[in-house]
Amino acid sequence: MMTPNHATAGLLLALTATRWHPELLSVVAVTAFIGGVVPDLDTKLEHRKTLHYPAYYSIFTGLFLLAATVVGAQVLVVGTYFFAAATLHCYTDLFVDVEKTSDEPDGDGIIFVHPIDRWVGPVMLVRYAGSPEDLLVGLLLAVLPLLKYEGIPFALTVIAVAWSVLYFGERQYRRHMTETSDPSEMRLPGE
């Protein structure tokens, strides 16, 4: 999935705070937005391996959730949403095919599971990041946040939707332009 969709998924996830800690909704939304983006900060490194830690983010989510439930400290609640959004990011990457060139020997999968030292996936529901179906996913993820949020979380949702549309447009433009040129030129950062 394209990065803005992960951010929007974090915003959608943060809406669960309305039942648990409604007073933290805005802070949780911003934190989940950031948590949804953080794994893709490795696009210039070894993408989907350097900052994508599905197993470890899951463990941290569980630990923070347990601690937040027992202790009730707000920082633990906020931390739970950060790690949950990062976890969600990693696992949703499983659903997107990655167009690889022959000089990218980064395994046979989409996400790297560090504890077992293996690549896993994909379960291809989305052909590539920035595909029409990827844009549709992003727009669908944004519906509830657009209806429920106000202030900064609402603005972040609008930004994520605009970012998705722009990414989609750039991706489609590059695909169109490279139909007659070198396919390796089509790659975008983060793939």
Side-chain angles (χ1 to χ4, degrees):
M1 269 194 330
M2 51 186 156
T3 304
N5 287 1
H6 293 300
T8 307
L11 289 165
L12 182 62
L13 175 67
L15 285 171
T16 62
T18 58
R19 298 277 185 193
W20 189 29
H21 283 279
E23 74 282 5
L24 295 177
L25 183 59
S26 290
V27 174
V28 162
V30 171
T31 303
F33 180 93
I34 294 167
V37 171
V38 162
D40 272 348
L41 296 178
D42 70 1
T43 56
K44 297 295 182 190
L45 304 168
E46 193 168 357
H47 188 49
R48 292 199 174 108
K49 186 175 181 182
T50 308
L51 290 177
H52 286 63
Y53 298 106
Y56 298 137
Y57 289 149
S58 298
I59 291 168
F60 278 115
T61 301
L63 291 173
F64 269 76
L65 178 60
L66 178 63
T69 304
V70 172
V71 177
Q74 293 182 342
V75 69
L76 296 173
V77 173
V78 172
T80 299
Y81 280 95
F82 174 84
F83 286 112
T87 301
L88 181 63
H89 176 133
C90 294
Y91 286 113
T92 55
D93 274 349
L94 278 171
F95 299 106
V96 182
D97 189 16
V98 177
E99 295 173 358
K100 298 177 182 178
T101 58
S102 59
D103 63 337
E104 293 177 342
D106 63 350
D108 296 322
I110 296 301
I111 62 172
F112 190 79
V113 182
H114 290 81
I116 60 172
D117 198 37
R118 285 188 45 211
W119 289 93
V120 298
V123 179
M124 291 176 270
L125 299 178
V126 174
R127 290 174 293 154
Y128 56 88
S131 67
E133 60 270 23
D134 197 18
L135 178 62
L136 179 62
V137 167
L139 296 176
L140 291 174
L141 288 171
V143 171
L144 208 52
L146 286 170
L147 294 174
K148 298 289 185 179
Y149 283 128
E150 301 174 344
I152 292 173
F154 179 82
L156 287 175
T157 307
V158 170
I159 289 168
V161 169
W163 185 7
S164 292
V165 170
L166 290 171
Y167 187 103
F168 168 77
E170 178 187 19
R171 178 63 172 180
Q172 296 309 305
Y173 174 76
R174 284 187 185 216
R175 287 182 67 82
H176 175 72
M177 294 305 293
T178 59
E179 285 178 356
T180 59
S181 61
D182 184 6
S184 66
E185 294 173 11
M186 187 180 68
R187 281 195 73 222
L188 292 175
E191 299 178 340

